[in-house]
Amino acid sequence: MEALLHQVFSGLANGIIYGSVALALVMIYQATHHINFAQGEMATFSTFIAWALIQAGWPYWGAFFFTVAVSFLGGLLVQRIVLRPIEKAPVLTNVIVFIGLLLIFNAMSGMLFDHTIKAFDSPFPKDSALASKYFSAHQLGSAGVLLVVLAGLFAFFKYTSVGLAMRAAAQNPDSAKLVGIRVSWMLGLGWGLAAAIGAVAGMMVAHVVFLDPNMMAGILLYGFAGALLGGIDNPIGAVIGGLVVGVLENLLGAYVIGTELKLTVALVLIVGTLTLRPDGLFGKKVVTRV
Amino acid sequence: MAKLLEAKKLSAFYGATQVLFDIDFAIEAGQITTILGANGAGKTTTLRALCQVVRTTGSLAFNAGAGEVQLVGKATENVVRLGVAHVPDGRGTFTALSVEDNLKLGAYVRGDRAEVAHDIEKAYTRFPRLAERRHQQAGTLSGGEQQMLAISRALMLRPKLLLLDEPSFGLAPLIVAEIFRIMRSINVEDGVSMLLVEQNANLALDLAHHAYLLETGTVALSGPSENIKNDESVRRAYLGY
């Protein structure tokens, strides 16, 4: 029982990271109906920036917020420069560009920061009154950070006029233009937000899995599985999906299939969701009046 | 009377296909102008050309009192910012958002928050049914309610010019009568100029001051609504009643 609980809780801790990656994917999917395959590598690159700053003597949180800001700008720029020219291009063109971005960011991480595996600090104290035998302080802290991000996003979309405009632009770009919304900039904003969320996820996970240019490759798959499971157009669903994937992966890995086959869980979930329930658990079927 | 908008040699294209051929027309400030014509004559395209949603050539001189501005070549968002509100065919409401959010979006380019809140209340007074449904998803409204929402959303811009694309389409006669009554009051009381595209010629001629008849992308004739309405040969030839 003890061991089972332990597996569940550490699954939840992983799931939180998958959830934030899923959230970043959903952000871009909602705005553009594309899955950004480069999301993981962009997050890794952001994490390297934070690592370099910390190595240079910056305090953790200083580096953290600076990296989030730089990532936001970076995401915005990638959309403005690389993706805007192909906004109206077919899906496959976009997919190729995403793969290109993936390779570019992966190579840049390796070139600028080399391929050795690096330790990444945790901002949270090793021993804390809140930490227990099930949760480490870092896991609790990451959960807290993700909840803050979620709450912030929720408030942004629900209560600000720019948030409302982003939702409108994602849903009906033609009508959005007719009320004066600069739709193309809304896409840029979506990319910026997604890159910032990805950066947070990268910085949180780097302490657990250690930092190297391929750090996010597997995590992106889990995140993708989480996003699909939760419903690719539902931010809350994405986070829940991420948690479910984290727990499932851990339990199956511990008791059924062994740790070597863990990644298979994500792939099976992706294929399973797409064939059995393409809208995911919480995604909504779009119904329109004729 | 001052011209709010003057189109000269206006052409519009979908890809390589030309739909409007060098048409000239004008909208007088404070008036309701209507464009009539058969299916495929280019009525909807004319509205789209004004908003720069389709590729256009020629001239569209817009003057809302602050000097003349050329609309051709502007981005749609910027035409809207000049005070041109469009109620497109199919209504263009944001179906997954609430009625109230739709209205807020209509005022997206305005900075005066207190006034926006006031205008939302005004919309609810104008169409009490929208007030009842303010927190409901727009997609769940009936066709008539969606049309009321679309018009209200366009008015949230406090437009100088309101473009209406077949507001009577697919609605019950009673609802149509209500919507047209309110359109008249918007014109008379709030002084909003309108360009109305309609299939229902009778209805449109009753409401409008001036009418243009389009035939396969060219202006076949134009004149005060009264004259066109009373000219039997015109009615037979172009309006089919």
Side-chain angles (χ1 to χ4, degrees):
Chain A
M1 193 62 206
E2 186 87 331
L4 177 72
L5 272 181
H6 191 83
Q7 291 296 341
V8 169
F9 282 117
S10 81
L12 282 176
N14 290 344
I16 283 162
I17 304 297
Y18 305 155
S20 21
V21 175
L23 191 60
L25 290 172
V26 167
M27 289 288 314
I28 289 184
Y29 184 83
Q30 273 198 313
T32 61
H33 290 256
H34 295 314
I35 292 288
N36 179 12
F37 296 122
Q39 197 75 64
E41 315 304 310
M42 285 166 65
T44 306
F45 191 74
S46 296
T47 311
F48 269 112
I49 295 175
W51 176 83
L53 290 173
I54 293 170
Q55 291 301 304
W58 284 46
Y60 184 92
W61 291 109
F64 178 91
F65 286 112
F66 184 80
T67 303
V68 169
V70 167
S71 306
F72 176 83
L73 275 181
L76 185 76
L77 282 178
V78 166
Q79 195 277 338
R80 289 279 89 187
I81 297 168
V82 182
L83 288 145
R84 191 161 69 128
I86 56 162
E87 247 167 43
K88 294 195 178 79
V91 182
L92 268 183
T93 314
N94 282 275
V95 170
I96 299 291
V97 170
F98 291 149
I99 292 171
L101 281 172
L102 184 157
L103 294 173
I104 290 170
F105 276 104
N106 187 287
M108 284 209 309
S109 296
M111 189 177 79
L112 295 175
F113 304 103
D114 77 59
H115 290 268
T116 54
I117 293 170
K118 297 173 176 66
F120 195 88
D121 292 342
S122 167
F124 309 106
K126 282 228 158 36
D127 295 306
S128 143
L130 286 170
S132 65
K133 59 186 169 188
Y134 299 126
F135 275 123
S136 74
H138 180 79
Q139 288 170 333
L140 272 181
S142 315
V145 168
L146 177 70
L147 284 180
V148 169
V149 169
L150 254 186
L153 277 179
F154 181 79
F156 171 74
F157 282 111
K158 182 96 183 159
Y159 299 113
T160 69
S161 69
V162 177
L164 181 61
M166 273 184 74
R167 278 154 66 202
Q171 197 191 107
N172 191 337
D174 295 334
S175 280
K177 279 182 194 163
L178 289 178
V179 295
I181 295 169
R182 300 190 195 284
V183 173
S184 180
W185 277 100
M186 294 298 139
L187 299 184
L189 211 52
W191 269 80
L193 283 175
I197 298 167
V200 173
M203 287 185 279
M204 291 295 129
V205 80
H207 176 68
V208 183
V209 300
F210 299 105
L211 179 57
D212 79 283
N214 300 316
M215 171 180 85
M216 292 298 268
I219 291 166
L220 184 73
L221 263 181
Y222 288 119
F224 185 48
L228 274 178
L229 190 65
I232 191 75
D233 55 1
N234 183 335
I236 307 279
V239 175
I240 297 174
L243 291 173
V244 172
V245 171
V247 172
L248 262 185
E249 168 221 22
N250 243 16
L251 288 181
L252 291 176
Y255 298 114
V256 186
I257 51 178
T259 43
E260 297 83 10
L261 283 173
K262 265 183 167 185
L263 198 58
T264 322
V265 175
L267 298 171
V268 168
L269 273 174
I270 291 172
V271 174
T273 311
L274 285 177
T275 43
L276 298 176
R277 201 183 159 90
D279 297 315
L281 295 177
F282 307 101
K284 57 182 162 213
K285 285 198 169 64
V286 180
V287 184
T288 40
R289 246 170 215 276
V290 189
Chain B
M1 198 172 276
K3 285 193 173 66
L4 178 64
L5 183 111
E6 190 166 20
K8 284 217 172 97
K9 287 187 145 317
L10 184 71
S11 297
F13 307 81
Y14 292 103
T17 314
Q18 188 166 1
V19 176
L20 293 181
F21 299 86
D22 292 337
I23 65 169
D24 295 354
F25 65 91
I27 300 169
E28 305 283 341
Q31 290 206 342
I32 300 179
T33 306
T34 186
I35 299 179
L36 306 171
N39 278 336
K43 305 187 297 294
T44 294
T45 306
T46 309
L47 296 191
R48 290 194 178 150
L50 286 190
C51 284
Q52 295 295 297
V53 180
V54 290
R55 189 163 69 82
T56 50
T57 60
S59 161
L60 280 167
F62 182 74
N63 190 346
E68 192 175 288
V69 192
Q70 178 57 246
L71 300 187
V72 173
K74 273 203 183 323
T76 303
E77 303 92 286
N78 294 329
V79 173
V80 173
R81 275 157 210 257
L82 291 170
V84 180
H86 188 171
V87 180
D89 58 340
R91 301 172 190 124
T93 45
F94 299 100
T95 48
L97 303 181
S98 71
V99 167
E100 186 131 338
D101 280 345
N102 268 275
L103 292 176
K104 280 184 192 160
L105 281 166
Y108 175 71
V109 300
R110 285 169 55 184
D112 46 349
R113 284 191 164 219
E115 288 288 296
V116 169
H118 171 259
D119 283 5
I120 289 180
E121 286 313 313
K122 198 169 158 189
Y124 289 150
T125 321
R126 199 177 271 134
F127 295 110
R129 276 211 262 173
L130 294 182
E132 292 164 26
R133 310 210 184 294
R134 65 172 77 188
H135 298 302
Q136 214 168 304
Q137 270 191 16
T140 63
L141 301 184
S142 74
E145 289 159 352
Q146 288 208 28
Q147 191 58 265
M148 294 173 192
L149 177 59
I151 293 174
S152 300
R153 191 192 66 197
L155 288 172
M156 289 301 297
L157 183 69
R158 291 198 172 171
K160 307 282 192 300
L161 174 62
L162 180 61
L163 310 178
L164 293 148
D165 200 343
E166 301 210 23
S168 76
F169 186 77
L171 302 183
L174 261 173
I175 309 271
V176 173
E178 186 190 348
I179 286 178
F180 270 68
R181 183 177 53 75
I182 286 169
M183 277 160 53
R184 188 190 298 275
S185 85
I186 290 164
N187 172 251
V188 174
E189 285 157 31
D190 303 305
V192 177
S193 316
M194 298 184 194
L195 181 61
L196 168 69
V197 156
E198 256 300 338
Q199 288 274 355
N200 188 333
N202 218 356
L203 208 57
L205 289 170
D206 276 341
L207 181 69
H209 302 92
H210 202 90
Y212 287 86
L213 259 160
L214 283 190
E215 198 180 27
T216 55
T218 54
V219 177
L221 74 121
S222 69
S225 304
E226 283 294 303
N227 300 2
I228 292 193
K229 208 177 166 181
N230 297 327
D231 186 331
E232 197 168 335
S233 60
V234 168
R235 257 176 40 198
R236 285 227 178 112
Y238 294 107
L239 305 178
Y241 70 94

